[in-house]
Amino acid sequence: MNSCRKQDDFLNTKPNQALKTPATLAGLKGLLQNEDVFNSQPDPGLGEIASDDFLIQDAVFPTLSSTDRNSYTWAKEVFDASTTQSSDWNSPYQMVYYANVVLGALPGITPSAGEKASYEQVKASALFYRAWAFYGLLQTFALPYEQSKAADQPGIPLRLSSDLNTHPGRSSIAECYAKVINDLRSALPALPVTPVYRTAPSKPAVNALLARISLAIRDYQSALTYANACLSQFSTLTDYNTLNKPTTTAINNTYLSEDIYQSNMVGHVVYSVRRDSYIGPGLYNSYDLNDLRKTKFFTILDGLPQYPRFVGSYDFKGLKYDGLATDEVYLIKAECQARGGDVAGAMVSLNTLLLTRWKTGTVIPYTASSADDALLQVLQERRKELLLRGLRWTDLRRLNQESRFAVTLQRTVNGTTYTLPPNDPRYAFPIPDIEVELGGLTQNPRQ
């Protein structure tokens, strides 16, 4: 499906060029089936570039865009003077706009008795898509959630209307998360357990997203509740013994059976072109020889074994996946069980996943001597399983708030060393200058 306009032009669209609003329920449903807007590349990828998921060869670095170079080195200024648009900002807000068009039009439609369920599902889908976009923006353009500070720190503009003349300011971080969570809870009852397409929202997708969000704000009891709710409806795991080895494109150009909701990050060249990035030796060597992720997540190109390239487990037609899948949900469940002192439960959840990741008959079930030991093992497997899935940046943001897990990121590029300490202001990316000017927004400090 094709988008109605270029994503990069969205926020500067004049009101008389606004999307024509369908007058029927079927028309509104059709708007929500635009996969170019809602699934193809709608999610910010700057955090993935700034995380420690991959490295860039020195020779490649100068060829990258200024935005990618600045993100990779945690520069104070990410968007230079030549950057007039940012897909990492515009694409999610395009999702928000489409969702708001639907939500704004629904009150003007009176459904027949036979259309009421469809009406509520369209509304719920729009709420899900908008919440998805808001959450991605919060991970990129707002500081990490800290309960004691969230009411006073700026979040993102909560655009709740399709009126392009309105310019809402930045709501607080607390207000933003409350809106996202409440909208998802409102959406849950009307959505199906099994969607027609993997690109559409469902009950398992809502619960998986609520589990992800709860983990991000360190509400581990809620995260466990939502993870269990998701797995009670959809718990399929793909046996990696059944997958082909990686090719020059991907190990799979169809959706894996454990994929709950398909979505992809903005296509930054730095992580989209496998010859431009590689996985560090420490992380690559942490995979056991019998761990199928070592052979099916990675490939060696150009005869250079020192530069293992990530192929991807869920990547679809070359796009970097950051959607929802049951492997992530099992890991959320295991982490929350460990944090709650349920050592045996955490190991059961973790081993359920790992049995599908190792060569048949080779895995020795993991055991833990304590809750802390269980938690450490779960986090190590989370690091390996969810590589380049758009989740590491959020994990760094939340885990840095615990001294035992805090890390200082460091990388050297052409002889210059760059560092990002825990809880640094640069964990919130700057808002593009044009949006600051047009919307009168407060800019994020980048000390």
Side-chain angles (χ1 to χ4, degrees):
M1 301 181 187
N2 294 321
S3 172
C4 291
R5 65 172 66 83
K6 292 181 180 179
Q7 293 179 351
D8 287 349
D9 294 339
F10 166 62
L11 287 185
N12 288 329
T13 301
K14 293 182 172 57
N16 62 0
Q17 295 175 317
L19 186 68
K20 183 177 180 180
T21 304
T24 66
L25 189 60
L28 295 177
K29 185 176 181 179
L31 279 185
L32 297 179
Q33 292 175 337
N34 188 331
E35 294 178 2
D36 281 355
V37 172
F38 292 106
N39 308 98
S40 181
Q41 299 181 63
D43 305 327
L46 295 176
E48 183 59 56
I49 299 172
S51 76
D52 55 354
D53 268 354
F54 62 87
L55 298 170
I56 301 297
Q57 295 182 60
D58 283 356
V60 171
F61 184 77
T63 70
L64 301 175
S65 71
S66 60
T67 297
D68 287 4
R69 292 197 307 271
N70 292 336
S71 298
Y72 184 74
T73 57
W74 312 298
K76 180 178 180 180
E77 302 295 336
V78 172
F79 307 110
D80 63 21
S82 65
T83 306
T84 58
Q85 301 288 335
S86 168
S87 292
D88 293 87
W89 178 273
N90 289 355
S91 295
Y93 273 118
Q94 186 184 40
M95 284 184 68
V96 171
Y97 174 70
Y98 270 65
N100 282 335
V101 167
V102 172
L103 292 169
L106 281 171
I109 295 175
T110 303
S112 65
E115 292 178 325
K116 287 184 178 179
S118 180
Y119 179 97
E120 293 301 325
Q121 186 173 334
V122 167
K123 179 180 178 181
S125 297
L127 288 172
F128 174 90
Y129 287 129
R130 188 174 70 181
W132 178 274
F134 281 157
Y135 176 69
L137 288 160
L138 281 166
Q139 301 317 294
T140 308
F141 297 105
L143 288 169
Y145 181 93
E146 293 184 65
Q147 188 173 14
S148 62
K149 301 177 181 179
D152 300 316
Q153 292 178 326
I156 59 170
L158 291 176
R159 297 178 180 270
L160 305 179
S161 166
S162 60
D163 184 354
L164 296 174
N165 289 307
T166 61
H167 297 284
R170 299 177 68 177
S171 298
S172 72
I173 289 177
E175 290 170 333
C176 291
Y177 278 97
K179 181 60 178 173
V180 168
I181 292 170
N182 288 337
D183 279 356
L184 288 171
R185 287 173 175 168
S186 297
L188 185 61
L191 292 171
V193 172
T194 304
V196 176
Y197 305 107
R198 295 289 176 92
T199 51
S202 62
K203 280 185 170 67
V206 171
N207 282 316
L209 181 53
L210 284 167
R212 177 187 286 184
I213 295 169
S214 298
L215 195 75
I217 64 175
R218 304 170 69 211
D219 180 356
Y220 298 115
Q221 184 55 57
S222 292
L224 178 59
T225 298
Y226 290 124
N228 281 330
C230 173
L231 294 174
S232 71
Q233 298 164 328
F234 187 86
S235 59
T236 300
L237 285 168
T238 302
D239 184 352
Y240 275 27
N241 288 277
T242 66
L243 296 180
N244 294 325
K245 290 183 178 181
T247 67
T248 55
T249 54
I251 65 170
N252 217 332
N253 265 342
T254 58
Y255 303 139
L256 293 190
S257 60
E258 64 191 49
D259 190 0
I260 299 172
Y261 171 72
Q262 175 72 207
S263 189
N264 302 286
M265 289 181 282
V266 168
H268 288 275
V269 171
V270 65
Y271 54 62
S272 297
V273 178
R274 288 183 290 121
R275 282 182 168 82
D276 285 353
S277 61
Y278 67 99
I279 307 304
L283 180 55
Y284 178 68
N285 291 330
S286 70
Y287 294 86
D288 189 274
L289 290 177
N290 289 316
D291 188 336
L292 293 170
R293 294 172 297 187
K294 189 161 191 173
T295 54
K296 301 193 178 187
F297 273 13
F298 304 97
T299 190
I300 303 299
L301 295 177
D302 307 324
L304 298 172
Q306 70 270 36
Y307 296 128
R309 265 63 173 205
F310 181 77
V311 176
S313 53
Y314 295 79
D315 290 359
F316 185 71
K317 296 182 179 178
L319 299 175
K320 278 287 172 281
Y321 175 91
D322 67 345
L324 301 163
T326 51
D327 63 340
E328 178 190 354
V329 181
Y330 272 105
L331 287 165
I332 291 173
K333 179 177 180 177
E335 179 177 341
C336 294
Q337 288 172 311
R339 289 183 180 276
D342 182 5
V343 177
M347 291 296 99
V348 168
S349 298
L350 182 60
N351 286 319
T352 299
L353 171 65
L354 294 179
L355 281 169
T356 68
R357 277 15 186 191
W358 285 53
K359 291 181 182 178
T360 301
T362 65
V363 64
I364 300 174
Y366 285 28
T367 61
S369 59
S370 65
D372 282 345
D373 182 27
L375 178 58
L376 183 60
Q377 291 187 58
V378 171
L379 290 177
Q380 288 172 339
E381 290 305 318
R382 181 178 174 88
R383 184 81 181 88
K384 292 190 285 186
E385 177 70 20
L386 303 179
L387 180 64
L388 272 160
R389 291 264 289 272
L391 296 169
R392 179 59 177 168
W393 185 245
T394 296
D395 279 351
L396 289 166
R397 285 158 53 98
R398 69 180 176 92
L399 293 173
N400 277 339
Q401 297 177 49
E402 301 179 58
S403 58
R404 57 179 171 164
F405 297 128
V407 296
T408 295
L409 300 185
Q410 182 173 303
R411 51 183 52 137
T412 300
V413 180
N414 291 314
T416 301
T417 299
Y418 303 89
T419 60
L420 181 68
N423 307 309
D424 192 277
R426 288 171 291 174
Y427 271 99
F429 280 83
I431 296 172
D433 287 340
I434 190 171
E435 305 302 336
V436 172
E437 295 168 7
L438 291 175
L441 303 178
T442 303
Q443 181 60 279
N444 291 322
R446 300 269 293 180
Q447 298 173 355

